Amino acid sequence: MPPALRTHYATCPLCEASCGLAVTTDAGVITGVRGDDADPLSRGHLCPKAVALKDLHEDPDRLRHPVKRVGDDWVRISWAEAIRLTVDGIRGVQRRHGRDALAVYLGNPTVHSLGAMLFAPAFSKALRTRNRYSATSVDQLPHHLASLHAFGHPLLIPVPDLDRTDCWIIFGANPAVSNGSLMTAPDVKRRLKGIVERGGEVIVLDPRRTETADLATAHHFIRPGTDALALLAMLQVIFAEGLVRMGRLAEFTDGLDALRDACAPFAPERVSPVTGVPADVLRELARTLARTERAVIYGRIGVSTQDFGGLCCWLINALNIVTGHLDAPGGAMFARPAVSIMRGGGAYGGAGRVGRWTSRVRGLPEFAGELPVAALAEEMETPGAGQVRGLVTHAGNPVLSTPNGARLDRALAGLEFFAAVDFYINETTRHAHVILPPTAGLERDHYDLVFHTLAVRNTAKWSPAVVSPAAGARHDWQILAELTWRVTSGGIIRRAKAWARAMTAEVLGLRGMMRHALARSPYGSRVSMRALERAPHGVDLGPLEPALPAGLRTENQRIQLAPAPMLADLPRLAARLDAPPAGEGDLLLIGRRDLRSNNSWMANSERLVRGVRRCGLLMHPADASARGLVDGGAACVSSRTGAVEAVVQVTDAVMPGVVCLPHGWGHDRTGVRLRVARAHAGISLNDLTDDHRLDALSGNAAFNGTPVRARAAD
Ligand SMILES: Nc1nc2c(c(=O)[nH]1)N[C@H]1C(S)=C(S)[C@@H](COP(=O)(O)OP(=O)(O)OC[C@H]3O[C@@H](n4cnc5c(=O)[nH]c(N)nc54)[C@H](O)[C@@H]3O)O[C@H]1N2
Ligand SMILES: Nc1nc2c(c(=O)[nH]1)N[C@H]1C(S)=C(S)[C@@H](COP(=O)(O)OP(=O)(O)OC[C@H]3O[C@@H](n4cnc5c(=O)[nH]c(N)nc54)[C@H](O)[C@@H]3O)O[C@H]1N2
Ligand code: SF4
Ligand SMILES: [Mo]
């Protein structure tokens, strides 16, 4: 190869699958992105988004230097000025209105960046505000809560051991499109097909017959928001039919009797009319899970972002425990990462404390130092001491990603100060006063702190940057480290420590920091930095291994099957048996993802957005004809919070009574500087979802099952 042509091995930073990439460059220009066949986890897999990393790298709309807003214009400024404006803005708001008047929001790409994982939580904490928020409370918070109560730590999240299971029951996840979540399983379709090929079963419960359901051996419709009832019924069957078989787990598990009592009133016949799942199907599901030697039940966004998210996550763990599938090959197992994040606190879970304070307006509980983001708009709008007047976002687009985003959109316009660490001027950051753009994925070194912890196989991989950042560009951690020490208050010692941390990082770089972390790995020299540098495709550390009881973090080192907060939430669920969810409308709205979408932010890549219509309103034929709606016609969809106009797609792939829209769209708002995305704007699902619909137990947004009406548009 001529010296200018190079192949780099990298890790895709876009989704949890964390695929290995082989990126070719010619004199620094990206010429190709392929799957890395030698990556021990992803084995050559990649999806269309990885190819679009080239578009992200070259995107003329991506900010490469800081800007400040002057009226409707954006003016280029130096890094020194950007940092000064941000620090002055933060300090000014906190001086005038108190510490809590400044809010901070960390978005999803934070977890896909090593530098941000190392420095964003410290920044968020240094602001010493109670108004800390992240995408956790529109995503996986109920999973953290369930893990905290059952296993003693919010990050002790078991993953399905896909490569060895013979039965995978899926509630509310569509891995064939999402590529898997709370489960790093690149090439999940091949893994799923593997289960079917070895004679196993894959059974999907979803209000939509999804792309995953099409690959499964069975699919059953379930009414949105009723999963907890179905899961209780499965447990009831397991107890009533004497199918409990905990094996070695019995030696270190508490609460079996309380769990039996709790599920006793929820026989399949009782819950079936509400869930829409026939009683005999629920019975068979329970029996199949209990009787299959290697089986696992798993649930994701469909069960966590709904009215009973906490209960669902608890009950899914409980089902795996009573059937002896937790911590067993082919069941739900814990990964053993080379570098553990369980000690680090802060963003995306952190250490397990709950309810140390509540939100000012609605009294919603804190979790791991954060408040539910559904409260952010009201905290900005409601006058009084502690009203939020300033905001810093890092890698987040809450206008499109949080419930009743339109309300937040309006509230953002009234802030005294808003700084965004982001490289796009999008629906959220258009309201900022200053934007500090970090380098993007392929320009920075990477080691996956989060997703090795959730992987279906133990591996470790160090990926050096593929392309050099533009001259003068800054990495996220450099921005965050400097902001942190400059805003740190509360004494010279604290500030000096934050300063020293930033300086040490500058000297060591991410590589140096990871070299130290890897030196303490339980795998010894197999995963030293030197070993990882010699293995650019990653090091295979083998299949998942049993980790309990040693890995438990509960006070008595035992699994808790029936935690008091979960039991206390059951009356709320029982009430659902007799009444539909509160709200305005006779249809229940659910979300969906698309293979070429990435939440709200990869829509500026032409190759990801051209072609098919993305924002169609899926509706069952019976519901369409009852409303005089036809395929391809326009419908006005409205909820308590808002209304949108959508094109109807009549299909029997959704359950009667359910309609479905994707999230992450609606790019045509004034001031959005995304030329391609604007031309394919779509509508925002979260203009219909409701900031007052939460899982009361966890505070997580309840997107799924939002009541809406639909009628022909005028
Ligand atoms: N292509 C693509 N991939 C992505 C993303 C993306 O935006 N695009 N986002 C990434 C992120 S951040 C995440 S967290 C993951 C999420 O990963 P997944 O959880 O797999 O996400 P979804 O594809 O939204 O699947 C959720 C499923 O739940 C169903 N559902 C809705 N309501 C209910 C309900 O009440 N009960 C049940 N049982 N099911 C219900 C929906 O119909 C849908 O099929 O995906 C990640 N991967
Ligand atoms: N109705 C409904 N709403 C949902 C969901 C749903 O299923 N239904 N899913 C929810 C889920 S699972 C999630 S995770 C959230 C996501 O919600 P958010 O995290 O709020 O939003 P994203 O769409 O991920 O936007 C990411 C932002 O980070 C910027 N960005 C990208 N890469 C980087 C980087 O490396 N550094 C920095 N500093 N910025 C970067 C992008 O420009 C964009 O502004 O949405 C949630 N919203
Ligand atoms: S599946 Fe996810 S990690 Fe893999 S290439 Fe696609 S976006 Fe990247
Ligand atoms: Mo997510």
Side-chain angles (χ1 to χ4, degrees):
M1 252 197 245
L5 298 185
R6 286 190 57 192
T7 300
H8 312 253
Y9 298 101
T11 306
C12 178
L14 294 177
C15 90
E16 295 177 47
S18 308
C19 297
L21 304 178
V23 184
T24 46
T25 58
D26 183 350
V29 175
I30 297 170
T31 52
V33 181
R34 288 177 291 111
D36 178 3
D37 294 327
D39 182 293
L41 192 59
S42 66
R43 306 175 299 195
H45 178 259
L46 91 177
C47 84
K49 281 186 284 185
V51 185
L53 284 169
K54 174 175 163 66
D55 306 341
L56 172 65
H57 181 65
E58 294 166 2
D59 189 345
D61 290 336
R62 180 162 68 94
L63 296 176
R64 286 170 178 78
H65 48 72
V67 290
K68 71 174 174 188
R69 184 158 55 82
V70 181
D72 291 337
D73 279 336
W74 291 93
V75 180
R76 177 176 180 162
I77 53 175
S78 67
W79 278 104
E81 183 177 356
I83 297 277
R84 186 178 54 72
L85 284 174
T86 305
V87 173
D88 289 352
I90 291 170
R91 287 236 183 94
V93 165
Q94 291 193 315
R95 198 181 319 111
R96 288 190 296 278
H97 308 291
R99 277 184 199 148
D100 295 338
L102 200 279
V104 57
Y105 174 82
L106 304 180
N108 169 279
T110 307
V111 292
H112 294 278
S113 160
L114 171 61
M117 275 302 290
L118 291 174
F119 288 89
F123 169 67
S124 173
K125 274 191 200 142
L127 298 169
R128 300 175 84 195
T129 169
R130 289 183 166 193
N131 280 299
R132 293 167 59 197
Y133 301 86
S134 78
T136 291
S137 53
V138 286
D139 188 346
Q140 81 287 2
L141 172 50
H143 292 268
H144 290 311
L145 194 70
S147 285
L148 172 66
H149 289 309
F151 311 125
H153 196 287
L155 293 171
L156 274 173
I157 294 174
V159 296
D161 185 14
L162 290 191
D163 296 339
R164 292 183 290 183
T165 198
D166 295 319
C167 170
W168 187 19
I169 300 177
I170 304 174
F171 270 72
N174 188 13
V177 164
S178 70
N179 292 298
S181 182
L182 293 185
M183 173 184 78
T184 290
D187 203 4
V188 63
K189 273 165 115 173
R190 185 160 68 170
R191 294 182 141 102
L192 190 156
K193 285 178 191 158
I195 300 171
V196 178
E197 276 159 21
R198 55 183 178 266
E201 291 179 77
V202 178
I203 307 167
V204 175
L205 280 97
D206 197 301
R208 178 166 78 88
R209 196 169 61 243
T210 60
E211 296 78 354
T212 304
D214 287 341
L215 300 172
T217 50
H219 164 252
H220 306 283
F221 283 134
I222 184 165
R223 191 159 290 121
T226 65
D227 301 80
L229 293 167
L231 296 162
L232 276 167
M234 288 174 67
L235 277 165
Q236 192 273 343
V237 172
I238 286 170
F239 282 110
E241 299 189 1
L243 296 171
V244 174
R245 194 196 53 179
M246 292 216 286
R248 53 184 274 277
L249 300 176
E251 290 159 29
F252 47 87
T253 299
D254 292 336
L256 190 64
D257 292 338
L259 183 67
R260 178 189 291 116
D261 293 348
C263 63
F266 298 92
E269 289 69 20
R270 176 100 167 85
V271 307
S272 173
V274 179
T275 59
V277 188
D280 58 331
V281 168
L282 290 171
R283 278 185 195 285
E284 262 325 298
L285 267 179
R287 291 171 187 152
T288 305
L289 180 69
R291 290 190 183 140
T292 309
E293 182 64 31
R294 297 186 163 204
V296 61
I297 176 167
Y298 158 88
R300 202 39 201 104
I301 274 282
V303 294
S304 68
T305 58
Q306 55 140 290
D307 292 338
F308 302 101
L311 290 181
C312 287
C313 295
W314 163 48
L315 295 167
I316 285 170
N317 283 334
L319 277 161
N320 282 321
I321 296 165
V322 298
T323 53
H325 296 315
L326 183 81
D327 204 37
M333 301 192 76
F334 298 96
R336 189 164 76 133
V339 178
S340 169
I341 48 169
M342 294 226 323
R343 250 170 307 164
Y348 293 91
R353 305 270 197 81
V354 196
R356 283 168 297 172
W357 63 85
T358 55
S359 68
R360 181 180 62 106
V361 178
R362 222 187 310 172
L364 299 174
E366 159 266 355
F367 178 84
E370 293 179 358
L371 289 168
V373 68
L376 183 53
E378 72 200 16
E379 292 297 331
M380 292 175 176
E381 285 172 354
T382 313
Q387 179 183 4
V388 170
R389 318 275 193 136
L391 175 68
V392 181
T393 60
H394 177 271
N397 191 5
V399 166
L400 294 192
S401 60
T402 66
N404 200 355
R407 179 179 180 186
L408 184 64
D409 200 354
R410 291 189 297 273
L412 292 179
L415 289 176
E416 286 177 19
F417 179 72
F418 173 12
V421 183
D422 206 298
F423 42 59
Y424 279 128
I425 301 175
N426 61 19
E427 301 72 23
T428 297
T429 60
R430 69 197 172 112
H431 294 293
H433 299 101
V434 52
I435 304 181
L436 304 100
T439 54
L442 296 178
E443 298 164 334
R444 58 195 186 210
D445 298 343
H446 189 65
Y447 177 93
D448 219 309
L449 283 177
V450 177
F451 299 110
H452 284 317
T453 307
L454 297 165
V456 297
R457 190 175 177 86
N458 291 316
T459 60
K461 182 170 174 178
W462 169 254
S463 311
V466 168
V467 277
S468 315
R474 288 208 187 181
H475 296 300
D476 44 16
W477 62 270
Q478 293 174 307
I479 300 166
L480 292 163
E482 178 162 2
L483 288 177
T484 303
W485 75 259
R486 286 189 186 272
V487 302
T488 295
S489 58
I492 186 88
I493 307 262
R494 291 171 70 109
R495 192 143 185 228
K497 273 192 187 157
W499 180 82
R501 189 160 180 253
M503 293 309 126
T504 311
E506 280 295 341
V507 173
L508 292 177
L510 290 180
R511 183 186 170 282
M513 284 184 270
M514 284 312 294
R515 196 169 64 83
H516 282 287
L518 288 164
R520 297 195 299 269
S521 129
Y523 297 97
S525 59
R526 287 164 78 192
V527 294
S528 64
M529 180 54 87
R530 186 187 289 183
L532 292 191
E533 284 181 331
R534 273 201 235 110
H537 309 286
V539 173
D540 189 11
L541 299 166
L544 304 182
E545 281 171 22
L548 304 187
L552 292 170
R553 298 290 185 91
T554 42
E555 262 169 39
N556 65 358
Q557 279 271 306
R558 295 168 68 80
I559 297 172
Q560 300 304 315
L561 258 182
M566 299 294 176
L567 297 179
D569 201 29
L570 284 173
R572 188 172 68 92
L573 176 67
R576 179 70 181 79
L577 279 171
D578 306 311
E584 292 166 22
D586 49 356
L587 293 166
L588 299 180
L589 178 65
I590 60 167
R592 70 173 181 271
R593 289 175 156 77
D594 178 287
L595 191 57
R596 290 186 287 160
S597 73
N598 199 35
N599 295 322
S600 74
W601 74 274
M602 283 290 286
N604 216 37
S605 161
E606 185 72 47
R607 79 181 88 208
L608 293 185
V609 292
R610 75 176 156 232
V612 294
R613 182 187 298 286
R614 293 294 160 72
C615 293
L617 178 78
L618 307 186
M619 184 182 276
H620 191 270
D623 292 320
S625 65
R627 290 165 182 76
L629 292 167
V630 293
D631 192 67
C636 172
V637 190
S638 61
S639 70
R640 186 190 75 84
T641 60
V644 300
E645 199 170 294
V647 176
V648 179
Q649 267 174 262
V650 177
T651 169
D652 65 4
V654 284
M655 195 176 183
V658 173
V659 285
C660 175
L661 283 171
H663 83 282
W665 301 88
H667 301 297
D668 50 358
R669 297 169 200 226
T670 313
V672 170
R673 304 240 175 148
L674 299 165
R675 276 166 284 194
V676 178
R678 281 197 81 93
H680 303 264
I683 49 174
S684 178
L685 165 60
N686 287 325
D687 288 348
L688 293 172
T689 56
D690 190 336
D691 48 330
H692 278 254
R693 291 190 74 251
L694 297 180
D695 167 25
L697 178 60
S698 65
N700 202 71
F703 294 124
N704 293 318
T706 301
V708 296
R709 288 183 209 288
R711 57 171 175 81
D714 309 323

